Short mmCIF file of all heavy atoms in Angstrom, two decimals:
data_model
loop_
_atom_site.label_atom_id
_atom_site.label_comp_id
_atom_site.label_asym_id
_atom_site.label_seq_id
_atom_site.Cartn_x
_atom_site.Cartn_y
_atom_site.Cartn_z
N ALA A 1 0.83 -1.21 0.00
CA ALA A 1 0.00 0.00 0.00
C ALA A 1 0.87 1.26 0.00
O ALA A 1 0.45 2.32 -0.48
CB ALA A 1 -0.93 -0.01 1.21
N HIS A 2 2.08 1.13 0.54
CA HIS A 2 2.99 2.28 0.63
C HIS A 2 3.47 2.73 -0.75
O HIS A 2 3.82 3.90 -0.94
CB HIS A 2 4.20 1.90 1.50
CG HIS A 2 5.22 2.98 1.64
ND1 HIS A 2 5.15 3.95 2.61
CD2 HIS A 2 6.34 3.26 0.91
CE1 HIS A 2 6.18 4.77 2.49
NE2 HIS A 2 6.92 4.38 1.47
N PHE A 3 3.49 1.83 -1.71
CA PHE A 3 4.09 2.12 -3.02
C PHE A 3 3.06 2.52 -4.08
O PHE A 3 3.39 2.61 -5.26
CB PHE A 3 4.89 0.90 -3.50
CG PHE A 3 6.00 0.53 -2.57
CD1 PHE A 3 5.87 -0.56 -1.72
CD2 PHE A 3 7.16 1.28 -2.51
CE1 PHE A 3 6.89 -0.90 -0.84
CE2 PHE A 3 8.18 0.95 -1.64
CZ PHE A 3 8.05 -0.14 -0.80
N THR A 4 1.82 2.76 -3.67
CA THR A 4 0.79 3.17 -4.62
C THR A 4 1.06 4.59 -5.12
O THR A 4 1.39 5.48 -4.33
CB THR A 4 -0.60 3.13 -3.96
OG1 THR A 4 -0.81 1.83 -3.41
CG2 THR A 4 -1.69 3.44 -4.96
N SER A 5 0.93 4.79 -6.41
CA SER A 5 1.07 6.13 -6.99
C SER A 5 0.14 6.23 -8.19
O SER A 5 -0.54 5.26 -8.56
CB SER A 5 2.52 6.37 -7.42
OG SER A 5 2.86 5.53 -8.51
N SER A 6 0.14 7.39 -8.81
CA SER A 6 -0.75 7.59 -9.96
C SER A 6 -0.35 6.71 -11.14
O SER A 6 -1.19 6.36 -11.98
CB SER A 6 -0.74 9.07 -10.39
OG SER A 6 0.59 9.45 -10.73
N THR A 7 0.92 6.37 -11.22
CA THR A 7 1.39 5.54 -12.33
C THR A 7 1.58 4.07 -11.92
O THR A 7 1.83 3.23 -12.77
CB THR A 7 2.73 6.08 -12.88
OG1 THR A 7 3.69 6.10 -11.81
CG2 THR A 7 2.54 7.49 -13.42
N ARG A 8 1.51 3.80 -10.62
CA ARG A 8 1.69 2.42 -10.15
C ARG A 8 0.54 2.13 -9.18
O ARG A 8 0.65 2.34 -7.98
CB ARG A 8 3.05 2.29 -9.47
CG ARG A 8 3.38 0.87 -9.06
CD ARG A 8 4.84 0.74 -8.67
NE ARG A 8 5.23 1.74 -7.67
CZ ARG A 8 6.47 2.02 -7.31
NH1 ARG A 8 7.47 1.41 -7.92
NH2 ARG A 8 6.73 2.94 -6.39
N GLN A 9 -0.58 1.64 -9.75
CA GLN A 9 -1.79 1.50 -8.94
C GLN A 9 -1.95 0.11 -8.33
O GLN A 9 -2.75 -0.07 -7.43
CB GLN A 9 -3.02 1.85 -9.80
CG GLN A 9 -2.99 3.30 -10.28
CD GLN A 9 -4.24 3.68 -11.05
OE1 GLN A 9 -5.20 2.91 -11.12
NE2 GLN A 9 -4.24 4.87 -11.64
N THR A 10 -1.20 -0.85 -8.84
CA THR A 10 -1.30 -2.21 -8.28
C THR A 10 0.09 -2.77 -7.99
O THR A 10 0.51 -3.77 -8.57
CB THR A 10 -2.04 -3.15 -9.23
OG1 THR A 10 -1.36 -3.17 -10.50
CG2 THR A 10 -3.49 -2.73 -9.41
N PRO A 11 0.86 -2.09 -7.12
CA PRO A 11 2.22 -2.58 -6.84
C PRO A 11 2.20 -3.93 -6.13
O PRO A 11 1.35 -4.19 -5.28
CB PRO A 11 2.79 -1.49 -5.93
CG PRO A 11 1.60 -0.88 -5.27
CD PRO A 11 0.52 -0.92 -6.30
N LYS A 12 3.12 -4.76 -6.51
CA LYS A 12 3.27 -6.06 -5.86
C LYS A 12 4.61 -6.13 -5.12
O LYS A 12 5.29 -7.13 -5.08
CB LYS A 12 3.20 -7.18 -6.90
CG LYS A 12 1.85 -7.26 -7.60
CD LYS A 12 1.83 -8.36 -8.63
CE LYS A 12 0.48 -8.42 -9.36
NZ LYS A 12 0.46 -9.49 -10.38
N ILE A 13 4.96 -4.99 -4.55
CA ILE A 13 6.24 -4.85 -3.85
C ILE A 13 6.00 -4.75 -2.35
O ILE A 13 5.12 -4.01 -1.90
CB ILE A 13 6.98 -3.58 -4.31
CG1 ILE A 13 7.23 -3.63 -5.82
CG2 ILE A 13 8.29 -3.40 -3.55
CD1 ILE A 13 7.74 -2.31 -6.38
N ALA A 14 6.76 -5.47 -1.57
CA ALA A 14 6.75 -5.33 -0.11
C ALA A 14 8.18 -5.52 0.39
O ALA A 14 8.92 -6.35 -0.13
CB ALA A 14 5.83 -6.36 0.54
N GLU A 15 8.55 -4.72 1.35
CA GLU A 15 9.92 -4.78 1.87
C GLU A 15 10.04 -5.76 3.04
O GLU A 15 9.07 -6.00 3.78
CB GLU A 15 10.36 -3.40 2.35
CG GLU A 15 10.54 -2.39 1.25
CD GLU A 15 11.03 -1.06 1.80
OE1 GLU A 15 10.65 -0.71 2.94
OE2 GLU A 15 11.79 -0.38 1.09
N LEU A 16 11.25 -6.26 3.21
CA LEU A 16 11.57 -7.06 4.40
C LEU A 16 11.90 -6.12 5.56
O LEU A 16 12.35 -4.99 5.36
CB LEU A 16 12.78 -7.96 4.12
CG LEU A 16 12.64 -8.97 2.98
CD1 LEU A 16 13.96 -9.71 2.80
CD2 LEU A 16 11.51 -9.95 3.26
N GLY A 17 11.71 -6.60 6.76
CA GLY A 17 12.14 -5.84 7.93
C GLY A 17 13.65 -5.89 8.07
O GLY A 17 14.29 -6.88 7.71
N GLU A 18 14.24 -4.81 8.57
CA GLU A 18 15.68 -4.77 8.77
C GLU A 18 16.06 -5.53 10.03
O GLU A 18 15.32 -5.54 11.03
CB GLU A 18 16.17 -3.34 8.90
CG GLU A 18 16.35 -2.61 7.59
CD GLU A 18 17.12 -1.33 7.79
OE1 GLU A 18 18.36 -1.37 7.75
OE2 GLU A 18 16.48 -0.29 8.03
N ALA A 19 17.25 -6.12 9.99
CA ALA A 19 17.77 -6.77 11.20
C ALA A 19 18.13 -5.70 12.23
O ALA A 19 18.54 -4.59 11.87
CB ALA A 19 19.01 -7.60 10.86
N GLY A 20 17.93 -6.01 13.50
CA GLY A 20 18.34 -5.10 14.55
C GLY A 20 19.85 -5.16 14.73
O GLY A 20 20.53 -6.04 14.21
N GLU A 21 20.39 -4.20 15.46
CA GLU A 21 21.83 -4.19 15.72
C GLU A 21 22.22 -5.42 16.53
O GLU A 21 21.52 -5.81 17.47
CB GLU A 21 22.22 -2.93 16.47
CG GLU A 21 22.12 -1.66 15.64
CD GLU A 21 22.61 -0.44 16.37
OE1 GLU A 21 22.06 -0.16 17.46
OE2 GLU A 21 23.53 0.23 15.90
N GLU A 22 23.34 -6.00 16.18
CA GLU A 22 23.83 -7.19 16.88
C GLU A 22 25.34 -7.09 17.03
O GLU A 22 26.05 -6.88 16.05
CB GLU A 22 23.46 -8.46 16.09
CG GLU A 22 24.00 -9.74 16.71
CD GLU A 22 23.63 -10.97 15.91
OE1 GLU A 22 22.62 -10.93 15.19
OE2 GLU A 22 24.36 -11.98 16.00
N PHE A 23 25.83 -7.21 18.25
CA PHE A 23 27.27 -7.15 18.49
C PHE A 23 27.57 -7.65 19.91
O PHE A 23 26.66 -7.83 20.72
CB PHE A 23 27.79 -5.71 18.33
CG PHE A 23 27.16 -4.71 19.27
CD1 PHE A 23 27.74 -4.39 20.50
CD2 PHE A 23 25.98 -4.07 18.93
CE1 PHE A 23 27.16 -3.48 21.36
CE2 PHE A 23 25.38 -3.15 19.78
CZ PHE A 23 25.97 -2.86 21.00
N GLU A 24 28.83 -7.87 20.17
CA GLU A 24 29.25 -8.27 21.51
C GLU A 24 29.59 -7.02 22.31
O GLU A 24 30.51 -6.28 21.96
CB GLU A 24 30.48 -9.20 21.46
CG GLU A 24 30.88 -9.72 22.83
CD GLU A 24 32.06 -10.67 22.78
OE1 GLU A 24 33.16 -10.23 22.37
OE2 GLU A 24 31.91 -11.85 23.13
N ALA A 25 28.83 -6.78 23.34
CA ALA A 25 29.05 -5.60 24.19
C ALA A 25 30.00 -5.96 25.32
O ALA A 25 29.90 -7.02 25.93
CB ALA A 25 27.72 -5.11 24.75
N GLU A 26 30.93 -5.05 25.58
CA GLU A 26 31.86 -5.22 26.70
C GLU A 26 31.37 -4.32 27.83
O GLU A 26 31.24 -3.11 27.67
CB GLU A 26 33.27 -4.82 26.27
CG GLU A 26 33.78 -5.53 25.02
CD GLU A 26 34.92 -4.78 24.38
OE1 GLU A 26 35.80 -4.28 25.11
OE2 GLU A 26 34.92 -4.69 23.14
N LEU A 27 31.12 -4.93 28.98
CA LEU A 27 30.64 -4.18 30.15
C LEU A 27 31.75 -4.05 31.17
O LEU A 27 32.47 -5.01 31.46
CB LEU A 27 29.44 -4.88 30.77
CG LEU A 27 28.29 -5.27 29.84
CD1 LEU A 27 27.14 -5.87 30.64
CD2 LEU A 27 27.82 -4.09 29.04
N GLU A 28 31.88 -2.86 31.70
CA GLU A 28 32.91 -2.60 32.71
C GLU A 28 32.30 -1.76 33.82
O GLU A 28 31.72 -0.71 33.56
CB GLU A 28 34.09 -1.87 32.06
CG GLU A 28 35.25 -1.58 33.00
CD GLU A 28 36.40 -0.89 32.29
OE1 GLU A 28 36.62 -1.17 31.10
OE2 GLU A 28 37.07 -0.05 32.93
N LEU A 29 32.41 -2.24 35.03
CA LEU A 29 31.84 -1.54 36.18
C LEU A 29 32.93 -0.74 36.88
O LEU A 29 33.98 -1.27 37.24
CB LEU A 29 31.22 -2.54 37.15
CG LEU A 29 30.68 -1.96 38.47
CD1 LEU A 29 29.60 -0.92 38.22
CD2 LEU A 29 30.16 -3.08 39.37
N LYS A 30 32.67 0.57 37.04
CA LYS A 30 33.55 1.44 37.82
C LYS A 30 32.72 2.01 38.96
O LYS A 30 31.78 2.77 38.71
CB LYS A 30 34.11 2.57 36.95
CG LYS A 30 35.06 2.12 35.85
CD LYS A 30 35.62 3.31 35.10
CE LYS A 30 36.59 2.88 34.01
NZ LYS A 30 37.18 4.04 33.30
N LEU A 31 33.06 1.62 40.17
CA LEU A 31 32.28 2.07 41.32
C LEU A 31 32.26 3.60 41.39
O LEU A 31 33.25 4.27 41.09
CB LEU A 31 32.86 1.50 42.61
CG LEU A 31 32.82 -0.03 42.75
CD1 LEU A 31 33.43 -0.44 44.08
CD2 LEU A 31 31.40 -0.55 42.63
N LEU A 32 31.13 4.14 41.81
CA LEU A 32 30.98 5.58 41.97
C LEU A 32 31.20 5.93 43.44
O LEU A 32 30.40 5.56 44.30
CB LEU A 32 29.58 6.01 41.53
CG LEU A 32 29.26 5.78 40.06
CD1 LEU A 32 27.79 6.06 39.78
CD2 LEU A 32 30.13 6.66 39.19
N ALA A 33 32.29 6.59 43.75
CA ALA A 33 32.61 6.95 45.12
C ALA A 33 33.24 8.33 45.15
O ALA A 33 33.74 8.84 44.13
CB ALA A 33 33.55 5.91 45.74
#
């Protein structure tokens, strides 16, 4: 439905969802004093 226009009234196009961010996070705790 997003791709409907005056020249393209019956689009058969649909997008895939994007992958979310994925990575190895490094956590480091520094005490607050």
Side-chain angles (χ1 to χ4, degrees):
H2 179 87
F3 299 104
T4 305
S5 68
S6 59
T7 58
R8 185 168 52 193
Q9 297 184 8
T10 57
K12 296 179 181 179
I13 301 170
E15 292 182 327
L16 300 176
E18 279 193 88
E21 291 184 302
E22 177 180 335
F23 60 93
E24 185 178 63
E26 306 160 41
L27 309 184
E28 182 178 326
L29 175 60
K30 293 183 179 182
L31 297 180
L32 297 172

